Amino acid sequence: MQRLSTARFGDLLAGDLRAFGGPSTIEPLAGRIRAEQVSIVLRNTPLGMVANILNAATFVMAVWGSPDQTKAVLWASVIIVAAGFVGLRARSSFQSVKPRSVSRRTTQNLVRNAFLFGTWWGALPVLFFSGATSAAQVVITCLSAGMIAGGAASFSTIPIAAIAYTLPIFLGSAVAIVGAGDAVNLPVAILIVSYAITLFRAVLAHAVEFTQRFILQAESESAIRRDVLTSLPNRFSFNERLENALVDAKQFDQHFALLLFDLNNFDEVNDRFGRPMADALLVEVAARLRKSTRESDSIARLEGDEFAIIATRDIRPDQIRSLAKQIIDGMRAPFLIEGREIYCKASLGIARAPTDGLDTNQLLRCVDTALYRAKTLAGSIQFFSPCDDEAAARRHALERDLASALANDQLSLAFQPFLDLAIDRIRGFEALLRWQHPTLGAIPPSEFITIAEETGLIHSIGYWVIKTACLAAARWPRDLRVSVNLSVVQLKNKALLDGIEVALAEAGLEPRRLEVEITETVLISNFQETISLLQSLVSLSVTVALDDFGTGYSSLTYLRKLPLSRLKIDRSFVQDMLTDADCGAIVRSLVELAHELRIEVTAEGVETPEQLDFLRRVRCDEAQGYLIGKPVRIDDIPGIAEKPCSQKLSP
């Protein structure tokens, strides 16, 4: 915001601050400045009106018994009545809550009242000076000078009001002195002119300083409430606006909607392209949010890639859904950042007040729950519903209990076999994590693994899985391997490599018998660092498998650059390869391509003998699925490994 200078102070006198910024930011600031100016005037007004009454009474006493007595009483009565009325009104207004903003009309009314009072005091010397005694003339001169000084002081923050009040008194005094025609009054006239000029300069200087100080204060407050990166209001400002909206909802039954928005893949962008590009992306997201929302909507950046919108107008469900869809659609086009096209998927949760609550914490909890459900449904728009409370309660309970699940022996491993299709023998087992909750029963991994990743518990749980799997494999025949899955969060942990080395050493397991499985999602989020880690694992003789191949971007770069020993074809292709010619062709091509790159292939989700025959024909190396064997406890593994092939494949 530009600084206020004396040369541009005319804009302030006219009540127009447009020279200092756009209408959307300047008018609220001008309203706040006017509110502060009027507040100061109201604070001084009661005492000023008392001075008006006392001065009027003093003048009546000075001319008491003279021919002007009756006229003076009538003149003073108007001043006393008006001053009493204005003083009481000002006292009442000052005792009430100070408004955050004041309109120009309020300031204009104040200037008008100041002019009326000034005009009435300006009539004093015109009406009484020429016919008064010398003593009375001295009193009139003192009263006029005093009212000029008092008015200038009272209206010092509003120069136009100070001029409106003092100028009629000054002009009235000048007319009276000239009309008297007495040479002795010439020094008095010079004194009044000098006095008025000094006062006007002081008033203008004080008003300029006051406005500059107020604008600097407003700038500081704005900086506190403004997000440095996106220039949107920050969480502090959002909390204030939300509290104000809730107050209005309680007092005036005004409804509003709270929307919570974030990007599903922002962490992946941050990890892959770095912080500067992620910040540039957030700036572009904020710009699109401004375009997608309405002027009446309040936008704020809360933290990271999370933004909030408070909508107070047009808040019917269909209108809010339309607004939300406009926001989501605005993010679909690629973001061009430093010459790169970045695609983002967004999710949005919605809560409404007072329907979903009239308490800040409750409303935020509701909208956060709605956003969580939207994210689990892959980039959708979700309103909060009462049934979300049950889901949120379950999630909070799982978050709480997962922290102690490991210590309380609630976690266990199940092992699903791999079948070597060339020799019809079990080649190894994949370790699958299971959680048996004491009251909720078996919790699906798809539910609690996400919680473990978000809370950071995945690191301790992941190490336990690796260690337990290694200890189990050490008891098996030496030609069987064990495979464990690593999540994207685990791969960001610099202590992961050391943990694997320690687990292998403590179990006495040959590193070649441990296989780690990663998904394409891991590679997309942090490709370069993942390559470095996997190369370190390969240097230990640990093998690496790429799981669920074909469900993500399926970039051939992964097959060429990564130190892969195995490729696992996703079950979605295996299930349809006999009925869908395209799926069959994809499976056949992937096997051939992997073999050309000296990578073995495992097909997941094999459930029928026909599928198994097809995989043999295309020379797939391994098969995994319910036809081969369901996940079993560790104690059942030796029996499975020793069974004849015909029994292993029995449904």
Side-chain angles (χ1 to χ4, degrees):
M1 182 171 294
Q2 303 178 34
R3 296 289 187 268
L4 182 65
S5 64
T6 305
R8 300 169 64 186
F9 196 69
D11 290 326
L12 178 61
L13 297 183
D16 187 357
L17 291 179
R18 286 174 295 179
F20 302 103
S24 62
T25 56
I26 291 307
E27 183 52 38
L29 176 59
R32 289 179 58 194
I33 292 177
R34 288 192 293 264
E36 191 67 24
Q37 291 171 327
V38 171
S39 175
I40 293 174
V41 170
L42 289 177
R43 188 163 61 240
N44 296 330
T45 295
L47 185 60
M49 293 302 104
V50 170
N52 272 263
I53 294 172
L54 293 177
N55 287 344
T58 300
F59 170 67
V60 171
M61 288 188 292
V63 298
W64 193 262
S66 71
D68 291 330
Q69 175 181 320
T70 302
K71 186 168 62 172
V73 170
L74 292 175
W75 177 89
S77 298
V78 174
I79 284 288
I80 292 172
V81 171
F85 176 76
V86 172
L88 291 175
R89 286 281 305 273
R91 185 172 182 272
S92 175
S93 298
F94 180 67
Q95 288 177 341
S96 62
V97 177
K98 186 178 75 172
R100 291 192 292 263
S101 180
V102 163
S103 66
R104 293 183 183 180
R105 181 176 294 275
T106 300
T107 304
Q108 290 168 356
N109 291 339
L110 188 147
V111 172
R112 180 198 62 198
N113 293 336
F115 178 74
L116 292 176
F117 265 92
T119 300
W120 199 245
W121 275 104
L124 174 65
V126 174
L127 295 174
F128 300 101
F129 189 83
S130 61
T133 62
S134 298
Q137 286 182 342
V138 171
V139 171
I140 293 172
T141 302
C142 291
L143 291 178
S144 297
M147 295 313 298
I148 290 175
S154 297
F155 297 106
S156 60
T157 57
I158 310 178
I160 190 66
I163 293 173
Y165 184 83
T166 58
L167 188 58
I169 304 175
F170 171 76
L171 293 177
S173 300
V175 169
I177 292 173
V178 172
D182 195 341
V184 75
N185 290 322
L186 180 60
V188 176
I190 295 174
L191 180 62
I192 290 179
V193 170
S194 303
Y195 191 41
I197 292 174
T198 302
L199 283 174
F200 289 156
R201 288 177 59 86
V203 167
L204 289 173
H206 180 267
V208 169
E209 181 184 356
F210 167 83
T211 308
Q212 283 183 329
R213 185 170 64 249
F214 193 92
I215 290 177
L216 287 173
Q217 180 183 345
E219 287 178 339
S220 300
E221 292 178 359
S222 177
I224 294 173
R225 291 167 170 80
R226 190 71 50 181
D227 177 56
V228 177
L229 179 64
T230 64
S231 296
L232 289 174
N234 58 15
R235 178 178 284 276
F236 181 76
S237 177
F238 165 77
N239 289 338
E240 288 184 334
R241 297 182 184 195
L242 182 59
E243 287 289 348
N244 292 335
L246 286 169
V247 169
D248 291 341
K250 294 174 185 176
Q251 292 183 352
F252 308 110
D253 194 28
Q254 293 182 358
H255 296 208
F256 68 93
L258 176 61
L259 293 76
L260 195 60
F261 161 91
D262 78 358
L263 303 174
N264 295 358
N265 59 333
F266 178 73
D267 288 340
E268 297 174 7
V269 173
N270 191 24
D271 292 338
R272 184 173 183 182
F273 299 110
R275 181 67 176 272
M277 285 192 66
D279 286 347
L281 173 63
L282 289 177
V283 173
E284 292 298 321
V285 168
R288 292 192 185 183
L289 273 177
R290 290 189 184 96
K291 293 180 180 178
S292 302
T293 52
R294 305 163 302 190
E295 188 174 349
S296 60
D297 300 326
S298 297
I299 314 171
R301 181 191 175 205
L302 303 187
E303 58 187 359
D305 62 323
E306 193 171 74
F307 298 83
I309 302 101
I310 300 175
T312 57
R313 184 175 61 83
D314 298 334
I315 57 168
R316 292 200 318 266
D318 60 322
Q319 294 169 328
I320 292 300
R321 181 174 290 279
S322 176
L323 171 63
K325 185 177 185 302
Q326 189 170 323
I327 292 172
I328 295 296
D329 290 345
M331 305 298 159
R332 295 191 189 282
F335 292 85
L336 187 61
I337 310 293
E338 296 182 9
R340 293 177 179 265
E341 285 190 349
I342 298 178
Y343 289 84
C344 292
K345 296 179 180 178
S347 298
L348 196 147
I350 305 169
R352 292 168 293 172
T355 306
D356 299 324
L358 276 174
D359 174 77
T360 301
N361 293 332
Q362 181 182 1
L363 201 61
L364 288 174
R365 179 180 60 80
C366 290
V367 74
D368 189 61
T369 301
L371 176 62
Y372 176 76
R373 182 155 54 89
K375 294 179 73 171
T376 60
L377 298 177
S380 64
I381 300 166
Q382 294 293 323
F383 283 82
F384 175 80
S385 65
C387 63
D388 286 338
D389 279 332
E390 297 180 8
R394 176 180 172 87
R395 176 178 172 79
H396 291 318
L398 293 180
E399 286 183 8
R400 181 191 65 236
D401 297 341
L402 185 57
S404 59
L406 192 59
N408 294 334
D409 295 326
Q410 296 172 13
L411 298 181
S412 62
L413 293 182
F415 296 87
Q416 188 171 23
F418 302 109
L419 178 68
D420 188 323
L421 297 182
I423 60 176
D424 283 342
R425 287 197 56 188
I426 298 299
R427 288 272 299 270
F429 295 85
E430 179 180 2
L432 303 171
L433 184 60
R434 298 289 185 261
W435 181 15
Q436 186 67 30
H437 194 280
T439 58
L440 300 176
I443 309 298
S446 59
E447 185 175 9
F448 73 82
I449 290 296
T450 301
I451 296 175
E453 290 177 338
E454 293 177 355
T455 58
L457 292 171
I458 192 66
H459 299 300
S460 57
I461 293 175
Y463 175 72
W464 177 86
V465 169
I466 294 171
K467 180 179 179 181
T468 304
C470 289
L471 290 172
R475 297 161 50 188
W476 304 340
R478 298 186 61 182
D479 60 340
L480 298 182
R481 75 179 190 277
V482 66
S483 179
V484 296
N485 292 276
L486 298 180
S487 75
V488 61
V489 179
Q490 286 177 274
L491 288 171
K492 294 178 181 179
N493 185 4
K494 299 185 181 301
L496 175 63
L497 185 62
D498 293 337
I500 291 176
E501 290 188 75
V502 170
L504 289 169
E506 290 183 354
L509 184 71
E510 297 175 74
R512 65 175 180 82
R513 296 179 57 196
L514 174 64
E515 183 175 80
V516 296
E517 295 187 15
I518 60 174
T519 63
E520 291 180 53
T521 304
V522 171
L523 303 176
I524 295 169
S525 63
N526 202 354
F527 187 65
Q528 294 300 327
E529 290 190 16
T530 300
I531 289 179
S532 177
L533 174 63
L534 296 183
Q535 288 174 340
S536 298
L537 287 174
V538 170
S539 67
L540 294 176
S541 298
V542 174
T543 58
V544 179
L546 184 58
D547 195 12
D548 299 333
F549 190 79
T551 58
Y553 289 89
S554 303
S555 172
L556 297 181
T557 301
Y558 303 153
L559 303 183
R560 185 171 60 87
K561 290 188 175 182
L562 291 175
L564 298 175
S565 300
R566 191 173 315 281
L567 182 70
K568 299 186 73 174
I569 301 176
D570 186 69
R571 66 182 65 248
S572 61
F573 295 105
V574 175
Q575 289 173 351
D576 296 334
M577 65 187 178
L578 299 181
T579 58
D580 188 326
D582 291 340
C583 285
I586 289 173
V587 171
R588 183 183 295 104
S589 299
L590 287 178
V591 172
E592 293 176 357
L593 176 62
H595 286 170
E596 288 291 332
L597 296 173
R598 296 180 298 281
I599 299 174
E600 293 188 355
V601 181
T602 299
E604 299 180 297
V606 180
E607 297 180 355
T608 68
E610 291 77 16
Q611 292 172 343
L612 194 65
D613 290 340
F614 180 88
L615 292 171
R616 282 196 173 103
R617 289 198 302 271
V618 300
R619 298 190 306 115
C620 184
D621 300 290
E622 287 184 346
Q624 183 184 27
Y626 279 7
L627 180 68
I628 313 302
K630 295 182 180 180
V632 296
R633 296 177 303 173
I634 186 172
D635 296 335
D636 296 331
I637 287 179
I640 293 177
E642 294 167 3
K643 283 184 181 180
C645 180
S646 60
Q647 295 186 27
K648 296 169 192 170
L649 302 181
S650 60

